[in-house]
Amino acid sequence: MERHRVWISFRSFIANLIDRYQLNTIFKLLIYLVLIWIIGSTWLYFTEKDYKLTQTEIARGEVNYFDSFVGSFRNNIIYIFSGFEDYVPHTTAGWFGSIFVMLFGSLGVMALLIGNVTTIIQEGTRRAQFVRRKPTYGKFHHHIVICNWSKKVYEIINQLHDPVLTEQKPIVIVSESADQIPIKYTNVPLSRFKNVYYIKGDPTSTEILLLAGIERAKTAIILADERLGIRKYSGMLDNTSNDSTDRLFASSDPTDVKNRRKLIDAKSILIGMVAESINPEVHTAVELVDSHSRIHFERTRIDEIICADTIASKLIAQCATTNGLSEFYVRLLTATQDSNEIYFVKVNGGLIDKTFRQVQKIVLERKLDTILIGFVTKRKKETLDRHGKQVDERVVVINPKSKENMNSNFNRNYVLGKNDYLIAIAYEKPSNPNFFLTD
Amino acid sequence: MEEREISAEERKIRDHIVMCNWTSKSDEIIKELHSGVIRDPRPIVVVTTQRGKVPESSEPHYQGVLVVPGDPADDRTLIRAGIEYANTAIVLADETQGEHADTKSILISLAIEAIQPRVHTIVELLNSKHRGHFDHTYVDEITCVDELSEKLIAQCAITHGISDVYLHLLTATDDTNEVYMVDVPRRFVGKTFRELEHFLIDYEEQDIIPVGLVTQEVMEKKGQILRNHGGKEIVGGFLTINPPGDNVHVDGKRKSRDYKLQEEDKIVVIAYEYPELEQL
């Protein structure tokens, strides 16, 4: 069972509040205030209680306000908030007491409190413009780590925190290239930044990755560090500037460009390797800018490579052959309530031990708005790995063939097992029991 | 690959693909367009100022690739490339231009349109913010690399391993599938998408999975109906992926699974090669 919620104990919840609103300063000030109040009240009680009012004073209507212990405390509050009013002391020692309270209590601590609250509100407003720094206390589980910051992060957050997804995993961004990550004036609704945190540090370092909780993370996305070698970036980002082309093509000399691309990829693959070595189970997806770097990835344990160049080239070629295809793919890739996506659905319940063709027919009969396009299974790799062990490799079968093929049994009559997945195009991830035949 | 500088026009090349600008993507694109699985590979005419960058290759997929040196934004160069008779034009972003690449691409698209508006133009955009500039052109398809990769990366985080599926569908070879759009087979005119699905599951001659359909609808942009110069509504193809059965998702132009297919519609399918459905 996946646990994706942030596991924060009660103690750290309080720690969070204190940290966020700088409550420790306010607590200190409040304690001072209370102390001053107690000292002042006690002083005034003991100095004023035995005072006998003179005839003229009684005639004027004055009262000894400090003759009872409780009364003394009660009336002292007025000093703090407003001043003497009618509660004038009658002994000289009493006067010292009230001056003490007013100077240190009212003018001193109260003013500080008000000043502090104002600063806190200002700081809060300023902080609200950026992604929050990851607090040291919080432990995340099954979260997503994004290494290297670039413009792409916004769209990724947009998709990953879309309300249509029932699980909203926390996202931790690790990068050394930005002091702050702005969240206003992007196309992403502010609510989607709720569980997003930022660690400023070098993503190739083990310590930083551990800080990000890589050993408990589910996915690690490593983006290309487009600002590599250009300049140390600090300050606000200008969302209108053309970030990616600026960085990738900083010089127009093609050899320069090529070398930079190779360096960017080298760094990305390095981060992937470090992540996998700390946590081999984390699913690493690395963005490559040069398709020739692919060969290096094959020697690592990185799970997925996304090469924008390759995808774009293939898509452009497909569009030239079949006009209008770009819309098809863009729609499939955009995750919203109203559009289709491709999902992997774990084979469950009544679907186990049925053939692919049978499941296709079931989906049709039950009029589920889903189209099955294939399945994913595992098989033993033919070559042994470095240690001489036989490992599994994932096999993705799309549009399984009908005719029996001598070389493989991955056709429409393949019997689905309980570790297999179905590949489906649907409006949302199929989860209702109807789909799994568990009525 | 041809070396002599004879224009495509002189060679009477027709129905070809014009590729403007030679970039790091060009080699991959040519490989895909001339892969073995394509039935009738079209000739490719490359228009570029950097003639020397195009490799002299004797590999099979460089057969039928012609280079016309010159500026792709220049009318005369385009005419020499035979743009008037071309089927498709691909405008690639010129990497050496840095942040002005997109501007150059717009100029090239306008030049193409001025000579031959009917050619199917595909433009590669580097910065998605420039998409709005293409509203004033009739460019048929815009591929924004950044947008694609960010969406794909996000999908990979949600569904691990999904990039394999997309890579598989996008690669044109004998043992991978591609997405095709074909005319509705005569036999299925008047029938529903559901009936088509039923038929194709058991159809063993070809392995085809239907995933959507394209219907002819009045085109709209930002809520406004598009009209041509004569005031008539422009009708274009509207894509519906995975037509829904219930009424929750059916809205506006989106067709339901029980919509009766018409003659001018197309069906979108996944198949290993271009489907031959006419003889059904």
PDB file of all heavy atoms in Angstrom, chain A residues 152 219 242 304 309 314 324 326 331 338 340 369 394 398-399 402 427, chain B residues 25 32 127 141 149 156 160-161 163-164 177 207 239 241-242 245 254 272:
ATOM      1  N   LYS A 152      10.977  23.854 -17.100  1.00  0.00           N
ATOM      2  CA  LYS A 152      10.109  22.694 -17.222  1.00  0.00           C
ATOM      3  C   LYS A 152       9.454  22.329 -15.889  1.00  0.00           C
ATOM      4  O   LYS A 152       8.414  21.676 -15.846  1.00  0.00           O
ATOM      5  CB  LYS A 152      10.914  21.484 -17.701  1.00  0.00           C
ATOM      6  CG  LYS A 152      11.441  21.630 -19.097  1.00  0.00           C
ATOM      7  CD  LYS A 152      11.851  20.263 -19.624  1.00  0.00           C
ATOM      8  CE  LYS A 152      12.224  20.331 -21.084  1.00  0.00           C
ATOM      9  NZ  LYS A 152      13.361  21.174 -21.387  1.00  0.00           N
ATOM     10  N   THR A 219      10.120   8.452  -7.049  1.00  0.00           N
ATOM     11  CA  THR A 219      10.581   8.843  -8.373  1.00  0.00           C
ATOM     12  C   THR A 219      11.622   9.939  -8.261  1.00  0.00           C
ATOM     13  O   THR A 219      11.510  10.804  -7.408  1.00  0.00           O
ATOM     14  CB  THR A 219       9.403   9.427  -9.202  1.00  0.00           C
ATOM     15  OG1 THR A 219       8.271   8.606  -9.048  1.00  0.00           O
ATOM     16  CG2 THR A 219       9.762   9.533 -10.662  1.00  0.00           C
ATOM     17  N   ASN A 242      13.905  34.225 -22.521  1.00  0.00           N
ATOM     18  CA  ASN A 242      13.909  32.971 -23.239  1.00  0.00           C
ATOM     19  C   ASN A 242      14.944  32.057 -22.634  1.00  0.00           C
ATOM     20  O   ASN A 242      16.049  31.936 -23.140  1.00  0.00           O
ATOM     21  CB  ASN A 242      14.233  33.273 -24.704  1.00  0.00           C
ATOM     22  CG  ASN A 242      13.983  32.081 -25.583  1.00  0.00           C
ATOM     23  OD1 ASN A 242      13.810  30.980 -25.099  1.00  0.00           O
ATOM     24  ND2 ASN A 242      13.974  32.308 -26.869  1.00  0.00           N
ATOM     25  N   GLU A 304      14.772   5.312 -16.946  1.00  0.00           N
ATOM     26  CA  GLU A 304      14.116   5.875 -18.125  1.00  0.00           C
ATOM     27  C   GLU A 304      14.885   7.051 -18.665  1.00  0.00           C
ATOM     28  O   GLU A 304      15.385   7.869 -17.912  1.00  0.00           O
ATOM     29  CB  GLU A 304      12.727   6.366 -17.706  1.00  0.00           C
ATOM     30  CG  GLU A 304      11.628   5.951 -18.628  1.00  0.00           C
ATOM     31  CD  GLU A 304      10.255   6.267 -18.086  1.00  0.00           C
ATOM     32  OE1 GLU A 304      10.084   6.249 -16.865  1.00  0.00           O
ATOM     33  OE2 GLU A 304       9.370   6.530 -18.900  1.00  0.00           O
ATOM     34  N   ASP A 309      15.101  15.751 -28.198  1.00  0.00           N
ATOM     35  CA  ASP A 309      15.435  15.772 -29.614  1.00  0.00           C
ATOM     36  C   ASP A 309      14.849  14.583 -30.347  1.00  0.00           C
ATOM     37  O   ASP A 309      14.258  14.707 -31.420  1.00  0.00           O
ATOM     38  CB  ASP A 309      16.956  15.728 -29.774  1.00  0.00           C
ATOM     39  CG  ASP A 309      17.503  17.121 -29.978  1.00  0.00           C
ATOM     40  OD1 ASP A 309      16.729  18.074 -29.784  1.00  0.00           O
ATOM     41  OD2 ASP A 309      18.676  17.242 -30.347  1.00  0.00           O
ATOM     42  N   LYS A 314      11.105  12.339 -34.140  1.00  0.00           N
ATOM     43  CA  LYS A 314      10.189  11.281 -34.556  1.00  0.00           C
ATOM     44  C   LYS A 314       8.786  11.831 -34.763  1.00  0.00           C
ATOM     45  O   LYS A 314       8.087  11.457 -35.699  1.00  0.00           O
ATOM     46  CB  LYS A 314      10.181  10.172 -33.510  1.00  0.00           C
ATOM     47  CG  LYS A 314      11.476   9.371 -33.493  1.00  0.00           C
ATOM     48  CD  LYS A 314      11.368   8.191 -32.557  1.00  0.00           C
ATOM     49  CE  LYS A 314      12.711   7.593 -32.234  1.00  0.00           C
ATOM     50  NZ  LYS A 314      13.289   6.834 -33.323  1.00  0.00           N
ATOM     51  N   GLY A 324      -1.585  15.819 -38.915  1.00  0.00           N
ATOM     52  CA  GLY A 324      -2.486  16.041 -37.795  1.00  0.00           C
ATOM     53  C   GLY A 324      -2.133  15.240 -36.561  1.00  0.00           C
ATOM     54  O   GLY A 324      -2.817  15.302 -35.551  1.00  0.00           O
ATOM     55  N   SER A 326       0.349  15.585 -34.462  1.00  0.00           N
ATOM     56  CA  SER A 326       0.904  16.270 -33.293  1.00  0.00           C
ATOM     57  C   SER A 326      -0.195  16.544 -32.272  1.00  0.00           C
ATOM     58  O   SER A 326       0.031  16.445 -31.071  1.00  0.00           O
ATOM     59  CB  SER A 326       1.618  17.557 -33.699  1.00  0.00           C
ATOM     60  OG  SER A 326       0.706  18.445 -34.285  1.00  0.00           O
ATOM     61  N   ARG A 331      -2.445  15.818 -27.012  1.00  0.00           N
ATOM     62  CA  ARG A 331      -3.635  15.583 -26.197  1.00  0.00           C
ATOM     63  C   ARG A 331      -3.428  14.398 -25.265  1.00  0.00           C
ATOM     64  O   ARG A 331      -3.801  14.408 -24.108  1.00  0.00           O
ATOM     65  CB  ARG A 331      -4.830  15.298 -27.100  1.00  0.00           C
ATOM     66  CG  ARG A 331      -5.350  16.515 -27.829  1.00  0.00           C
ATOM     67  CD  ARG A 331      -6.721  16.842 -27.370  1.00  0.00           C
ATOM     68  NE  ARG A 331      -7.651  15.873 -27.898  1.00  0.00           N
ATOM     69  CZ  ARG A 331      -8.517  16.100 -28.850  1.00  0.00           C
ATOM     70  NH1 ARG A 331      -8.588  17.293 -29.380  1.00  0.00           N
ATOM     71  NH2 ARG A 331      -9.320  15.161 -29.254  1.00  0.00           N
ATOM     72  N   ASP A 338     -10.597  16.095 -18.695  1.00  0.00           N
ATOM     73  CA  ASP A 338     -11.414  15.870 -19.859  1.00  0.00           C
ATOM     74  C   ASP A 338     -10.701  15.192 -21.016  1.00  0.00           C
ATOM     75  O   ASP A 338     -11.275  15.027 -22.075  1.00  0.00           O
ATOM     76  CB  ASP A 338     -11.918  17.235 -20.335  1.00  0.00           C
ATOM     77  CG  ASP A 338     -13.361  17.175 -20.706  1.00  0.00           C
ATOM     78  OD1 ASP A 338     -14.030  16.229 -20.263  1.00  0.00           O
ATOM     79  OD2 ASP A 338     -13.797  18.037 -21.462  1.00  0.00           O
ATOM     80  N   ASN A 340      -7.820  12.201 -22.620  1.00  0.00           N
ATOM     81  CA  ASN A 340      -7.323  10.855 -22.416  1.00  0.00           C
ATOM     82  C   ASN A 340      -5.842  10.850 -22.088  1.00  0.00           C
ATOM     83  O   ASN A 340      -5.105  11.732 -22.498  1.00  0.00           O
ATOM     84  CB  ASN A 340      -7.527  10.044 -23.696  1.00  0.00           C
ATOM     85  CG  ASN A 340      -8.978   9.715 -23.916  1.00  0.00           C
ATOM     86  OD1 ASN A 340      -9.512   8.804 -23.316  1.00  0.00           O
ATOM     87  ND2 ASN A 340      -9.632  10.477 -24.786  1.00  0.00           N
ATOM     88  N   ASP A 369     -15.260   3.165 -21.000  1.00  0.00           N
ATOM     89  CA  ASP A 369     -14.667   4.109 -21.953  1.00  0.00           C
ATOM     90  C   ASP A 369     -13.153   3.973 -21.946  1.00  0.00           C
ATOM     91  O   ASP A 369     -12.427   4.864 -21.558  1.00  0.00           O
ATOM     92  CB  ASP A 369     -15.049   5.542 -21.564  1.00  0.00           C
ATOM     93  CG  ASP A 369     -16.478   5.844 -21.908  1.00  0.00           C
ATOM     94  OD1 ASP A 369     -17.060   5.081 -22.697  1.00  0.00           O
ATOM     95  OD2 ASP A 369     -17.018   6.824 -21.368  1.00  0.00           O
ATOM     96  N   ARG A 394      11.936  -5.633 -18.660  1.00  0.00           N
ATOM     97  CA  ARG A 394      10.549  -5.299 -18.909  1.00  0.00           C
ATOM     98  C   ARG A 394      10.261  -5.429 -20.393  1.00  0.00           C
ATOM     99  O   ARG A 394      11.055  -5.009 -21.223  1.00  0.00           O
ATOM    100  CB  ARG A 394      10.315  -3.847 -18.484  1.00  0.00           C
ATOM    101  CG  ARG A 394       8.953  -3.580 -17.964  1.00  0.00           C
ATOM    102  CD  ARG A 394       9.030  -2.318 -17.198  1.00  0.00           C
ATOM    103  NE  ARG A 394       9.554  -1.307 -18.089  1.00  0.00           N
ATOM    104  CZ  ARG A 394       8.931  -0.177 -18.348  1.00  0.00           C
ATOM    105  NH1 ARG A 394       7.778   0.054 -17.797  1.00  0.00           N
ATOM    106  NH2 ARG A 394       9.473   0.703 -19.141  1.00  0.00           N
ATOM    107  N   ILE A 398       2.837  -3.681 -27.630  1.00  0.00           N
ATOM    108  CA  ILE A 398       1.722  -2.837 -28.056  1.00  0.00           C
ATOM    109  C   ILE A 398       1.063  -3.482 -29.263  1.00  0.00           C
ATOM    110  O   ILE A 398       1.750  -3.985 -30.147  1.00  0.00           O
ATOM    111  CB  ILE A 398       2.241  -1.434 -28.399  1.00  0.00           C
ATOM    112  CG1 ILE A 398       2.847  -0.825 -27.145  1.00  0.00           C
ATOM    113  CG2 ILE A 398       1.132  -0.566 -28.941  1.00  0.00           C
ATOM    114  CD1 ILE A 398       3.263   0.594 -27.283  1.00  0.00           C
ATOM    115  N   ASN A 399      -0.240  -3.470 -29.269  1.00  0.00           N
ATOM    116  CA  ASN A 399      -1.006  -4.081 -30.349  1.00  0.00           C
ATOM    117  C   ASN A 399      -0.505  -5.498 -30.607  1.00  0.00           C
ATOM    118  O   ASN A 399       0.080  -5.790 -31.646  1.00  0.00           O
ATOM    119  CB  ASN A 399      -0.891  -3.215 -31.621  1.00  0.00           C
ATOM    120  CG  ASN A 399      -1.812  -3.665 -32.726  1.00  0.00           C
ATOM    121  OD1 ASN A 399      -2.718  -4.464 -32.504  1.00  0.00           O
ATOM    122  ND2 ASN A 399      -1.571  -3.184 -33.935  1.00  0.00           N
ATOM    123  N   SER A 402      -2.162 -11.054 -33.805  1.00  0.00           N
ATOM    124  CA  SER A 402      -3.155 -12.124 -33.693  1.00  0.00           C
ATOM    125  C   SER A 402      -2.555 -13.465 -34.052  1.00  0.00           C
ATOM    126  O   SER A 402      -2.799 -14.460 -33.408  1.00  0.00           O
ATOM    127  CB  SER A 402      -4.332 -11.889 -34.630  1.00  0.00           C
ATOM    128  OG  SER A 402      -4.591 -10.540 -34.748  1.00  0.00           O
ATOM    129  N   TYR A 427      -9.893   8.147 -19.847  1.00  0.00           N
ATOM    130  CA  TYR A 427     -10.006   9.520 -19.353  1.00  0.00           C
ATOM    131  C   TYR A 427      -9.420   9.652 -17.961  1.00  0.00           C
ATOM    132  O   TYR A 427      -8.977  10.699 -17.550  1.00  0.00           O
ATOM    133  CB  TYR A 427     -11.474   9.963 -19.351  1.00  0.00           C
ATOM    134  CG  TYR A 427     -12.011  10.194 -20.737  1.00  0.00           C
ATOM    135  CD1 TYR A 427     -12.583   9.160 -21.469  1.00  0.00           C
ATOM    136  CD2 TYR A 427     -11.920  11.443 -21.332  1.00  0.00           C
ATOM    137  CE1 TYR A 427     -13.045   9.373 -22.748  1.00  0.00           C
ATOM    138  CE2 TYR A 427     -12.389  11.657 -22.616  1.00  0.00           C
ATOM    139  CZ  TYR A 427     -12.948  10.623 -23.321  1.00  0.00           C
ATOM    140  OH  TYR A 427     -13.410  10.832 -24.595  1.00  0.00           O
TER     141      TYR A 427
ATOM    142  N   LYS B  25      18.416  17.564 -35.620  1.00  0.00           N
ATOM    143  CA  LYS B  25      17.282  16.636 -35.723  1.00  0.00           C
ATOM    144  C   LYS B  25      17.130  16.062 -37.126  1.00  0.00           C
ATOM    145  O   LYS B  25      16.443  15.066 -37.328  1.00  0.00           O
ATOM    146  CB  LYS B  25      15.983  17.367 -35.377  1.00  0.00           C
ATOM    147  CG  LYS B  25      15.910  17.835 -33.962  1.00  0.00           C
ATOM    148  CD  LYS B  25      14.481  18.259 -33.648  1.00  0.00           C
ATOM    149  CE  LYS B  25      14.313  18.645 -32.202  1.00  0.00           C
ATOM    150  NZ  LYS B  25      15.185  19.701 -31.743  1.00  0.00           N
ATOM    151  N   GLU B  32      13.606   8.358 -40.171  1.00  0.00           N
ATOM    152  CA  GLU B  32      12.227   7.943 -39.943  1.00  0.00           C
ATOM    153  C   GLU B  32      11.408   7.999 -41.228  1.00  0.00           C
ATOM    154  O   GLU B  32      10.625   7.105 -41.516  1.00  0.00           O
ATOM    155  CB  GLU B  32      11.578   8.857 -38.889  1.00  0.00           C
ATOM    156  CG  GLU B  32      12.124   8.676 -37.495  1.00  0.00           C
ATOM    157  CD  GLU B  32      11.646   7.402 -36.846  1.00  0.00           C
ATOM    158  OE1 GLU B  32      10.489   7.010 -37.049  1.00  0.00           O
ATOM    159  OE2 GLU B  32      12.444   6.771 -36.141  1.00  0.00           O
ATOM    160  N   ASN B 127      10.378  28.036 -28.301  1.00  0.00           N
ATOM    161  CA  ASN B 127       9.826  28.667 -27.121  1.00  0.00           C
ATOM    162  C   ASN B 127       8.306  28.727 -27.233  1.00  0.00           C
ATOM    163  O   ASN B 127       7.775  29.359 -28.133  1.00  0.00           O
ATOM    164  CB  ASN B 127      10.399  30.076 -26.989  1.00  0.00           C
ATOM    165  CG  ASN B 127      10.059  30.704 -25.656  1.00  0.00           C
ATOM    166  OD1 ASN B 127       9.089  30.315 -25.015  1.00  0.00           O
ATOM    167  ND2 ASN B 127      10.853  31.668 -25.251  1.00  0.00           N
ATOM    168  N   GLU B 141       0.660  22.581 -38.413  1.00  0.00           N
ATOM    169  CA  GLU B 141       1.012  21.909 -37.165  1.00  0.00           C
ATOM    170  C   GLU B 141       2.224  22.553 -36.519  1.00  0.00           C
ATOM    171  O   GLU B 141       3.186  22.877 -37.196  1.00  0.00           O
ATOM    172  CB  GLU B 141       1.337  20.431 -37.430  1.00  0.00           C
ATOM    173  CG  GLU B 141       0.101  19.606 -37.645  1.00  0.00           C
ATOM    174  CD  GLU B 141       0.391  18.148 -37.760  1.00  0.00           C
ATOM    175  OE1 GLU B 141       0.452  17.487 -36.725  1.00  0.00           O
ATOM    176  OE2 GLU B 141       0.568  17.695 -38.894  1.00  0.00           O
ATOM    177  N   SER B 149       8.528  17.631 -24.150  1.00  0.00           N
ATOM    178  CA  SER B 149       9.367  16.911 -23.196  1.00  0.00           C
ATOM    179  C   SER B 149       8.897  17.160 -21.774  1.00  0.00           C
ATOM    180  O   SER B 149       8.950  16.245 -20.956  1.00  0.00           O
ATOM    181  CB  SER B 149      10.836  17.256 -23.380  1.00  0.00           C
ATOM    182  OG  SER B 149      11.036  18.624 -23.263  1.00  0.00           O
ATOM    183  N   CYS B 156       5.957  10.506 -16.994  1.00  0.00           N
ATOM    184  CA  CYS B 156       6.834   9.445 -16.509  1.00  0.00           C
ATOM    185  C   CYS B 156       6.814   9.374 -14.995  1.00  0.00           C
ATOM    186  O   CYS B 156       6.980   8.299 -14.416  1.00  0.00           O
ATOM    187  CB  CYS B 156       8.272   9.685 -16.946  1.00  0.00           C
ATOM    188  SG  CYS B 156       8.513   9.392 -18.679  1.00  0.00           S
ATOM    189  N   HIS B 160       5.287   5.196 -14.375  1.00  0.00           N
ATOM    190  CA  HIS B 160       6.670   4.828 -14.672  1.00  0.00           C
ATOM    191  C   HIS B 160       6.775   3.999 -15.940  1.00  0.00           C
ATOM    192  O   HIS B 160       6.028   3.059 -16.126  1.00  0.00           O
ATOM    193  CB  HIS B 160       7.253   4.017 -13.515  1.00  0.00           C
ATOM    194  CG  HIS B 160       7.454   4.831 -12.286  1.00  0.00           C
ATOM    195  ND1 HIS B 160       7.724   4.284 -11.063  1.00  0.00           N
ATOM    196  CD2 HIS B 160       7.415   6.161 -12.092  1.00  0.00           C
ATOM    197  CE1 HIS B 160       7.858   5.252 -10.172  1.00  0.00           C
ATOM    198  NE2 HIS B 160       7.675   6.401 -10.771  1.00  0.00           N
ATOM    199  N   GLY B 161       7.716   4.372 -16.796  1.00  0.00           N
ATOM    200  CA  GLY B 161       7.955   3.568 -17.981  1.00  0.00           C
ATOM    201  C   GLY B 161       7.115   3.958 -19.179  1.00  0.00           C
ATOM    202  O   GLY B 161       7.172   3.321 -20.211  1.00  0.00           O
ATOM    203  N   SER B 163       7.429   6.377 -21.174  1.00  0.00           N
ATOM    204  CA  SER B 163       8.149   6.897 -22.342  1.00  0.00           C
ATOM    205  C   SER B 163       8.421   5.789 -23.349  1.00  0.00           C
ATOM    206  O   SER B 163       8.498   6.041 -24.549  1.00  0.00           O
ATOM    207  CB  SER B 163       9.454   7.568 -21.922  1.00  0.00           C
ATOM    208  OG  SER B 163      10.322   6.640 -21.346  1.00  0.00           O
ATOM    209  N   ASP B 164       8.530   4.553 -22.844  1.00  0.00           N
ATOM    210  CA  ASP B 164       8.716   3.430 -23.764  1.00  0.00           C
ATOM    211  C   ASP B 164       7.563   3.319 -24.729  1.00  0.00           C
ATOM    212  O   ASP B 164       7.741   3.045 -25.919  1.00  0.00           O
ATOM    213  CB  ASP B 164       8.800   2.107 -22.979  1.00  0.00           C
ATOM    214  CG  ASP B 164      10.182   1.902 -22.414  1.00  0.00           C
ATOM    215  OD1 ASP B 164      11.107   2.584 -22.892  1.00  0.00           O
ATOM    216  OD2 ASP B 164      10.330   1.071 -21.508  1.00  0.00           O
ATOM    217  N   ASN B 177       4.598  -0.243 -33.762  1.00  0.00           N
ATOM    218  CA  ASN B 177       3.343   0.321 -34.233  1.00  0.00           C
ATOM    219  C   ASN B 177       3.472   1.811 -34.488  1.00  0.00           C
ATOM    220  O   ASN B 177       4.335   2.463 -33.934  1.00  0.00           O
ATOM    221  CB  ASN B 177       2.256   0.100 -33.169  1.00  0.00           C
ATOM    222  CG  ASN B 177       1.845  -1.333 -33.088  1.00  0.00           C
ATOM    223  OD1 ASN B 177       1.025  -1.790 -33.846  1.00  0.00           O
ATOM    224  ND2 ASN B 177       2.430  -2.047 -32.148  1.00  0.00           N
ATOM    225  N   ASP B 207      -3.403  -6.521 -37.804  1.00  0.00           N
ATOM    226  CA  ASP B 207      -3.538  -6.178 -36.385  1.00  0.00           C
ATOM    227  C   ASP B 207      -3.749  -4.683 -36.255  1.00  0.00           C
ATOM    228  O   ASP B 207      -2.816  -3.907 -36.402  1.00  0.00           O
ATOM    229  CB  ASP B 207      -2.280  -6.593 -35.624  1.00  0.00           C
ATOM    230  CG  ASP B 207      -2.053  -8.080 -35.710  1.00  0.00           C
ATOM    231  OD1 ASP B 207      -3.006  -8.820 -35.417  1.00  0.00           O
ATOM    232  OD2 ASP B 207      -0.946  -8.482 -36.073  1.00  0.00           O
ATOM    233  N   LEU B 239     -10.552  16.046 -34.014  1.00  0.00           N
ATOM    234  CA  LEU B 239     -10.110  14.745 -33.512  1.00  0.00           C
ATOM    235  C   LEU B 239     -10.811  14.377 -32.214  1.00  0.00           C
ATOM    236  O   LEU B 239     -10.865  15.169 -31.283  1.00  0.00           O
ATOM    237  CB  LEU B 239      -8.595  14.814 -33.283  1.00  0.00           C
ATOM    238  CG  LEU B 239      -7.910  13.675 -32.541  1.00  0.00           C
ATOM    239  CD1 LEU B 239      -7.929  12.419 -33.379  1.00  0.00           C
ATOM    240  CD2 LEU B 239      -6.488  14.060 -32.216  1.00  0.00           C
ATOM    241  N   ILE B 241     -10.432  11.377 -29.431  1.00  0.00           N
ATOM    242  CA  ILE B 241      -9.707  10.185 -29.028  1.00  0.00           C
ATOM    243  C   ILE B 241     -10.586   9.400 -28.061  1.00  0.00           C
ATOM    244  O   ILE B 241     -11.211   9.988 -27.183  1.00  0.00           O
ATOM    245  CB  ILE B 241      -8.400  10.556 -28.305  1.00  0.00           C
ATOM    246  CG1 ILE B 241      -7.547  11.478 -29.181  1.00  0.00           C
ATOM    247  CG2 ILE B 241      -7.603   9.319 -27.948  1.00  0.00           C
ATOM    248  CD1 ILE B 241      -6.289  11.963 -28.496  1.00  0.00           C
ATOM    249  N   ASN B 242     -10.627   8.097 -28.212  1.00  0.00           N
ATOM    250  CA  ASN B 242     -11.381   7.233 -27.298  1.00  0.00           C
ATOM    251  C   ASN B 242     -12.793   7.787 -27.106  1.00  0.00           C
ATOM    252  O   ASN B 242     -13.140   8.287 -26.040  1.00  0.00           O
ATOM    253  CB  ASN B 242     -10.647   7.153 -25.951  1.00  0.00           C
ATOM    254  CG  ASN B 242     -11.302   6.185 -24.985  1.00  0.00           C
ATOM    255  OD1 ASN B 242     -12.118   5.345 -25.363  1.00  0.00           O
ATOM    256  ND2 ASN B 242     -10.966   6.310 -23.726  1.00  0.00           N
ATOM    257  N   GLY B 245     -18.645   6.634 -24.167  1.00  0.00           N
ATOM    258  CA  GLY B 245     -19.930   5.987 -24.329  1.00  0.00           C
ATOM    259  C   GLY B 245     -21.030   6.759 -23.645  1.00  0.00           C
ATOM    260  O   GLY B 245     -22.100   6.966 -24.185  1.00  0.00           O
ATOM    261  N   ARG B 254     -17.236  16.626 -29.723  1.00  0.00           N
ATOM    262  CA  ARG B 254     -16.735  15.298 -29.421  1.00  0.00           C
ATOM    263  C   ARG B 254     -17.815  14.274 -29.677  1.00  0.00           C
ATOM    264  O   ARG B 254     -18.935  14.386 -29.193  1.00  0.00           O
ATOM    265  CB  ARG B 254     -16.275  15.234 -27.970  1.00  0.00           C
ATOM    266  CG  ARG B 254     -15.459  13.995 -27.696  1.00  0.00           C
ATOM    267  CD  ARG B 254     -15.060  13.912 -26.277  1.00  0.00           C
ATOM    268  NE  ARG B 254     -14.249  15.037 -25.875  1.00  0.00           N
ATOM    269  CZ  ARG B 254     -13.729  15.178 -24.659  1.00  0.00           C
ATOM    270  NH1 ARG B 254     -13.958  14.255 -23.775  1.00  0.00           N
ATOM    271  NH2 ARG B 254     -13.026  16.224 -24.355  1.00  0.00           N
ATOM    272  N   TYR B 272       0.805  -1.845 -37.343  1.00  0.00           N
ATOM    273  CA  TYR B 272       2.222  -2.036 -37.662  1.00  0.00           C
ATOM    274  C   TYR B 272       2.587  -1.377 -38.974  1.00  0.00           C
ATOM    275  O   TYR B 272       3.724  -1.007 -39.208  1.00  0.00           O
ATOM    276  CB  TYR B 272       2.551  -3.527 -37.710  1.00  0.00           C
ATOM    277  CG  TYR B 272       2.576  -4.159 -36.337  1.00  0.00           C
ATOM    278  CD1 TYR B 272       1.425  -4.701 -35.776  1.00  0.00           C
ATOM    279  CD2 TYR B 272       3.751  -4.199 -35.593  1.00  0.00           C
ATOM    280  CE1 TYR B 272       1.446  -5.256 -34.510  1.00  0.00           C
ATOM    281  CE2 TYR B 272       3.777  -4.763 -34.324  1.00  0.00           C
ATOM    282  CZ  TYR B 272       2.623  -5.278 -33.791  1.00  0.00           C
ATOM    283  OH  TYR B 272       2.648  -5.830 -32.536  1.00  0.00           O
TER     284      TYR B 272
END
